Amino acid sequence: MVIIVAFLLAFVASALKETQEANVANDTKGQILSALGYDKATIDVAKVYEEKVKDNLFEAGELKPYEEKFNTTYGSLIKEGKLHVFTGTTANGEPAYVLPVVGRGLWGGLWGYIAVNEAKDKVLGTYFYHESETAGLGARIGEKWFQDQFIGKPIFGEDGNVALTVTKAGAAQSEFEVDGVTGATLTSNGVAAMVKDGLTAYKEFLGGATASEPVEVEEAECIICEEDVKQ
């Protein structure tokens, strides 16, 4: 009986694999479109992505069309220096570039997409999500109110380095800062690190100060401090 059940489970998993992969790819495309201001819940994601977005690699100082299998995760690719840049237009018709970013929250991985304007100096939109942050606290980085705070924010400071960041909730003051999530300091710090490290990895493409050596995107440690123990 155990052998039969195992065989059936393996068969079902194999039969559904292609469909599952297609669903994951479609969801990833929806996340990219969300960064461009589209409501993925109300559109035909596959159709709009095909019409509005192109996948490219930034190599040797230029964008080259990427024509291989669509990727659904980008952390290891960024570490290897394989920088994907999605070109497209926002829901408002504005030309944009979308950059994938990855990081670490309190309990697990974070990821997202940041859309920047044609001049590559301001944010047009973002999409962030998480692997396992706390519902009602860190998980709120996936909510529109948090993501919309980044719209219109400049990326680089006067020194040419990435200045865009996330502060404690209610503490944002400068044009480069957005408010973090109340009661989720570590997750907010994780997003701040993800944004800084992610955009720094793309600094040559964006035109900021040139790093003296390749940027290695590191995952922030998950350390529970007294302030966040309730999370």
Side-chain angles (χ1 to χ4, degrees), residues 211-225:
S212 58
E213 57 185 29
V215 176
E216 181 177 348
V217 179
E218 298 183 354
E219 294 183 343
E221 289 187 41
C222 293
I223 302 176
I224 303 177
C225 59

Side-chain angles (χ1 to χ4, degrees), residues 114-115 122-128 140-155 164-182 188 191 195:
I114 301 176
K122 287 187 177 182
V123 176
L124 294 181
T126 64
Y127 177 90
F128 301 121
R140 300 192 71 194
I141 65 169
E143 296 179 5
K144 192 173 186 296
W145 70 268
F146 176 74
Q147 298 169 11
D148 283 354
Q149 292 185 91
F150 290 83
I151 297 175
K153 292 290 184 180
I155 297 172
L164 181 61
T165 190
V166 180
T167 67
K168 289 186 178 181
Q173 295 183 345
S174 83
E175 61 178 338
F176 299 102
E177 298 175 336
V178 302
D179 285 319
V181 179
T182 301
S188 298
V191 175
V195 169

Side-chain angles (χ1 to χ4, degrees), residues 37-48:
Y38 296 90
D39 182 355
K40 64 178 181 176
T42 63
I43 61 174
D44 183 333
V45 169
K47 180 179 179 181
V48 175

Side-chain angles (χ1 to χ4, degrees), residues 4 6 21 47 70 77 95 97 117 119 122 129 152 155 163 176 185 190 217 219:
I4 293 174
E21 290 179 346
K47 180 179 179 181
F70 181 78
L77 294 174
Y97 301 100
N117 62 348
K122 287 187 177 182
Y129 210 67
I155 297 172
F176 299 102
T185 303
V217 179
E219 294 183 343

Side-chain angles (χ1 to χ4, degrees), residues 79 102-104 193-194 197 216-220:
K79 289 181 179 181
V102 295
R104 191 80 182 174
M194 175 174 67
D197 293 345
E216 181 177 348
V217 179
E218 298 183 354
E219 294 183 343

Side-chain angles (χ1 to χ4, degrees), residues 25-106:
N26 200 60
D27 184 61
T28 302
K29 292 175 180 179
Q31 295 174 20
I32 294 169
L33 289 172
S34 292
L36 288 168
Y38 296 90
D39 182 355
K40 64 178 181 176
T42 63
I43 61 174
D44 183 333
V45 169
K47 180 179 179 181
V48 175
Y49 180 90
E50 182 69 23
E51 294 175 348
K52 302 292 184 180
V53 182
K54 298 296 180 184
D55 192 353
N56 309 274
L57 275 179
F58 181 65
E59 296 179 319
E62 62 179 293
L63 286 182
K64 301 178 181 179
Y66 180 76
E67 299 175 347
E68 298 179 31
K69 183 179 179 180
F70 181 78
N71 294 282
T72 56
T73 59
Y74 294 90
S76 60
L77 294 174
I78 293 173
K79 289 181 179 181
E80 294 169 6
K82 298 176 181 177
L83 304 179
H84 281 258
V85 177
F86 300 91
T87 54
T89 54
T90 67
N92 295 325
E94 186 173 353
Y97 301 100
V98 181
L99 314 176
V101 293
V102 295
R104 191 80 182 174
L106 176 61

